[in-house]
Amino acid sequence: MAGGKAKSAARAPRLWVLILAAQRESQRMLSEALRPLGITPAQGEVLSVLSSHPPLTLNALGERLVCETGSPSRLVSGLVRLGWVRRSPAPGDGRAVLLTLTGGGHRLATRCLTVTGELEAELVALAEAPAPVEASALDITLRTLWRLVSHLPAGRALKRRAGKG
Amino acid sequence: MAGGKAKSAARAPRLWVLILAAQRESQRMLSEALRPLGITPAQGEVLSVLSSHPPLTLNALGERLVCETGSPSRLVSGLVRLGWVRRSPAPGDGRAVLLTLTGGGHRLATRCLTVTGELEAELVALAEAPAPVEASALDITLRTLWRLVSHLPAGRALKRRAGKG
DNA sequence: ACATCATATATGACATATCATGGAATTACT
DNA sequence: AGTAATTCCATGATATGTCATATATGATGT
């Protein structure tokens, strides 16, 4: 019955813990995968967004990022220092700054998208259910996230924790 | 074939972005909810783990945490300074430290578990599907995470991003 | 007993994320 | 025009998470 399920949610690994675990592990994996490119996941997100958008102001970029709230001024500064992004004055607005990728930035963004795609495939492989399941969407989500992290460090932490209740 | 799906994955919000978005938003919500208690989400995780386990060493605690890898020395120091956790020498091992909750720590942990439970309910309400769905577990997971974040700042960032391809 | 290696913790260093502040430019209002 | 309010960006301050190092204790092997 539904009551039993709802009740068990109180002691099962919670959604938010699973979300945290999944984020930590995917962050680690992506961080590792991007290391050869010399950029961090957050920098990769900026490159990806800039590669598929018309020149954006800092503010507009910030509105399209998940990795950071507010205006990603320092995040962009790093990429400018590395030579992948160019800041130019925005025509018609003396306050704003237009961000564009340099030539090398475009090439790096392409490589970054490849790496991101590979990581996505890796995550999907971890998360994919071996067989069709029948349960509520939330149960399926919990199980999927659990499959994703269960044999990674964060998942092992949850197992140890469950070991003693 | 699977190729069709794999191709569409290239432009859909990716699993890892959704995981990041969900983590950012749930972190914000939990952070807000715990503020009245004067603790952070990471500190809350420590209190929760300690409240349901026998005295743990720092190392054993670290093995049960998702919020941090390595040994959570500083995280615990903060809780000791606040008076919620006690460090005592481990009998039989002069290197190790046993961590226990103080009386106030126990009470705070209880309140923390209540807050965490409420947040969990809130997240579940956001994530719950309005009606039964039929799709692969992964699709369901993506949709569930999307429901969770779609009307929150991180989700709006993803919408803006998708707006221009 | 002694030398060596492994383990437990603490701490410094660094990158990152969030919040608050300040300066410059634009917009709105009178 | 002129003033006030708002917007855009940069930067300082703080907290957090990760990595590397240092120190002390325990375990191992001769």
Side-chain angles (χ1 to χ4, degrees):
Chain A
M1 60 170 178
K5 273 295 178 198
K7 220 161 198 167
S8 81
R11 59 176 161 285
R14 310 235 179 166
L15 178 56
W16 86 265
V17 178
L18 286 175
I19 289 173
L20 178 61
Q23 187 269 335
R24 286 286 194 273
E25 296 303 335
S26 56
Q27 177 92 359
R28 269 188 265 281
M29 292 166 74
L30 183 57
S31 199
E32 182 85 14
L34 288 178
R35 192 181 314 279
L37 276 63
I39 56 175
T40 66
Q43 292 174 329
E45 198 184 355
V46 172
L47 293 182
S48 299
V49 170
L50 287 182
S51 76
S52 61
H53 282 79
L56 292 173
T57 66
L58 198 59
N59 199 24
L61 172 65
E63 285 177 334
R64 284 161 179 77
L65 292 181
V66 173
C67 64
E68 201 174 316
T69 62
S71 81
S73 180
R74 266 179 275 242
L75 185 53
V76 165
S77 291
L79 289 169
V80 170
R81 206 176 315 119
L82 290 169
W84 308 134
V85 171
R86 197 183 358 255
R87 278 191 234 245
S88 46
D93 192 338
R95 302 164 297 178
V97 169
L98 279 188
L99 303 171
T100 52
L101 292 178
T102 62
H106 261 296
R107 284 188 292 278
L108 185 61
T110 303
R111 292 176 62 199
C112 176
L113 287 172
T114 302
V115 168
T116 306
E118 287 167 359
L119 175 90
E120 179 75 6
E122 209 173 326
L123 289 179
V124 164
L126 285 173
E128 199 85 67
V133 288
E134 289 181 18
S136 78
L138 186 61
D139 283 339
I140 291 172
T141 298
L142 292 175
R143 279 180 231 193
T144 301
L145 291 177
W146 178 243
R147 267 192 303 279
L148 178 56
V149 302
S150 61
H151 69 285
L152 297 174
R156 285 198 292 270
L158 290 175
K159 281 182 196 166
R160 289 192 197 94
R161 198 194 291 194
K164 196 65 188 207
Chain B
M1 63 169 184
K5 272 296 182 199
K7 221 161 198 167
S8 82
R11 60 177 161 285
R14 309 232 178 171
L15 179 56
W16 86 264
V17 178
L18 285 175
I19 289 174
L20 177 61
Q23 187 269 334
R24 285 286 194 272
E25 295 303 335
S26 57
Q27 177 93 0
R28 269 189 265 281
M29 291 166 73
L30 183 56
S31 198
E32 182 85 15
L34 288 177
R35 190 181 315 279
L37 278 62
I39 57 175
T40 66
Q43 292 175 329
E45 199 184 355
V46 172
L47 293 183
S48 299
V49 170
L50 286 181
S51 76
S52 61
H53 282 79
L56 292 173
T57 66
L58 197 58
N59 199 23
L61 172 65
E63 286 177 336
R64 283 160 181 78
L65 292 181
V66 173
C67 64
E68 202 175 315
T69 62
S71 81
S73 180
R74 267 180 275 243
L75 185 53
V76 166
S77 292
L79 289 169
V80 170
R81 207 175 318 118
L82 289 169
W84 310 132
V85 171
R86 196 181 1 253
R87 277 192 237 246
S88 45
D93 191 338
R95 303 164 294 178
V97 169
L98 279 187
L99 303 171
T100 51
L101 292 177
T102 63
H106 262 297
R107 284 187 291 278
L108 185 59
T110 302
R111 292 177 61 199
C112 175
L113 287 172
T114 301
V115 168
T116 305
E118 288 167 0
L119 175 91
E120 178 75 5
E122 210 172 327
L123 289 179
V124 165
L126 286 173
E128 198 85 69
V133 287
E134 288 181 17
S136 77
L138 186 60
D139 283 340
I140 291 172
T141 298
L142 292 176
R143 277 180 234 195
T144 301
L145 291 178
W146 179 243
R147 266 192 304 279
L148 179 56
V149 303
S150 60
H151 68 284
L152 297 173
R156 285 198 292 271
L158 291 175
K159 281 182 197 166
R160 289 192 197 94
R161 198 193 291 193
K164 196 66 186 204

